[in-house]
């Protein structure tokens, strides 16, 4: 287990009324949080049925060396690398949003990750805001699209845990 999942399970789930199954849970974030949402959502499908990544990345980035000391650990946490090796036991819907003025390499990697997930049979929506930047304004603009998309793929109701 990694710290992200342990933290969610021990801190957030007992406090907040959340759905008890992956069919009704999503994970996501913006920027590094978008990366974490994708990584955790794909690595722990037993917990999540949908992912939102707004301005996220397909790998942990150069700042991860303190937590991921080896190249093998870096690759193990790089969805852009491991998604092609995954076997999906159930659908995992994924929303990816980017801004046109973000780094071209980041946008390209996000498009490729979205395409690879779609090619593996997953429901994916990719949306780019061509005149925006890597800002909270972009996140605020993309979030309604993301929520509508994942809502169409999650089970409603269900007992909270």
């Amino acid at each position: 287990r990694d710290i992200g999942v342990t933290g969610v399970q021990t801190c957030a789930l007992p406090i907040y009324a959340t759905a008890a199954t992956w069919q009704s849970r999503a994970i996501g974030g913006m920027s590094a949080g978008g990366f974490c949402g994708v990584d955790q959502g794909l690595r722990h499908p037993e917990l999540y049925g949908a992912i939102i990544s707004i301005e996220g990345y397909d790998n942990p980035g150069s700042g991860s060396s303190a937590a991921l000391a080896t190249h093998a650990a870096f690759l193990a946490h790089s969805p852009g690398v491991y998604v092609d090796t995954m076997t999906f036991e159930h659908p995992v819907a994924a929303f990816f949003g980017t801004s046109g003025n973000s780094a071209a390499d980041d946008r390209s990697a996000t498009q490729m990750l979205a395409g690879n997930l779609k090619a593996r049979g997953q429901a994916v929506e990719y949306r780019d805001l061509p005149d925006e930047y890597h800002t909270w304004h972009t996140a605020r603009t993309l979030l309604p699209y993301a929520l509508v998309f994942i809502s169409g793929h999650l089970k409603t109701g269900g007992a909270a845990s």
Side-chain angles (χ1 to χ4, degrees), residues 16-160:
Y16 300 103
T18 65
T21 65
W22 65 263
Q23 293 100 329
S24 300
R25 280 194 188 141
I27 187 169
M30 184 216 175
S31 194
F35 155 74
C36 290
V38 173
D39 185 47
Q40 294 303 300
L42 292 177
R43 290 164 53 81
H44 298 284
E46 75 280 9
L47 297 176
Y48 308 106
I51 299 165
I52 295 173
S53 178
I54 296 175
E55 297 281 14
Y57 307 102
D58 73 332
N59 67 69
S62 59
S64 66
S65 59
L68 304 171
T70 68
H71 185 63
F74 180 90
L75 294 176
H77 287 275
S78 296
V81 172
Y82 67 72
V83 72
D84 290 333
T85 67
M86 291 185 67
T87 300
F88 290 92
E89 307 258 334
H90 62 74
V92 179
F95 177 92
F96 295 92
T98 59
S99 62
N101 289 305
S102 290
D105 289 349
D106 292 338
R107 281 194 333 277
S108 177
T110 298
Q111 288 173 325
M112 186 175 296
L113 178 57
N116 289 345
L117 275 169
K118 194 170 192 169
R120 298 186 65 73
Q122 302 307 306
V124 174
E125 182 172 329
Y126 173 80
R127 187 174 290 260
D128 182 68
L129 300 179
D131 298 323
E132 294 296 333
Y133 295 85
H134 190 102
T135 66
W136 284 109
H137 180 268
T138 297
R140 185 181 73 209
T141 303
L142 288 167
L143 188 57
Y145 297 107
L147 294 174
V148 167
F149 173 75
I150 68 163
S151 293
H153 296 279
L154 293 175
K155 179 177 151 186
T156 59

